[in-house]
Amino acid sequence: VGRVVALYVQHAPQLLNAVLVTDAADNEALAEAAHALKSLSRNIGAVRVGNLCDSIETAARSGQASGALDRLEAAVLATLTALDATPAARAA
């Protein structure tokens, strides 16, 4: 569990950045970035982040803007803060 949490802590900020900096006109790149963060998040049970990423991915694949982008950063940061307080994070 500690290793999975450590992977999330290591990769989630990079994936979040990829979602946030991807040009909204590049729907495929945005969908792929959101999908990667969604998968990583759901692996650790970060349902809120996963659901926001799912919304972003779906909107991008259909060529629409998503209102979830503005909430995603806060959700990832809250997840990272919560994980930092867990014994699994300290054991990694």
Side-chain angles (χ1 to χ4, degrees):
V1 172
R3 203 166 59 169
V4 173
V5 169
L7 286 172
Y8 188 86
V9 169
Q10 179 182 1
H11 294 288
Q14 297 164 352
L15 292 171
L16 171 63
N17 188 56
V19 170
L20 296 177
V21 302
T22 300
D23 184 347
D26 190 350
N27 290 329
E28 187 58 31
L30 180 57
E32 288 177 13
H35 180 82
L37 182 55
K38 174 181 74 174
S39 297
L40 187 68
S41 298
R42 288 190 171 163
N43 279 338
I44 64 154
V47 175
R48 182 172 171 223
V49 174
N51 289 345
L52 289 168
C53 287
D54 189 46
S55 174
I56 294 165
E57 179 184 7
T58 300
R61 292 202 189 282
S62 64
Q64 300 172 358
S66 171
L69 280 170
D70 60 339
R71 298 184 307 261
L72 182 61
E73 184 172 17
V76 170
L77 294 177
T79 300
L80 291 170
T81 299
L83 287 174
D84 190 46
T86 65
R90 292 189 292 274

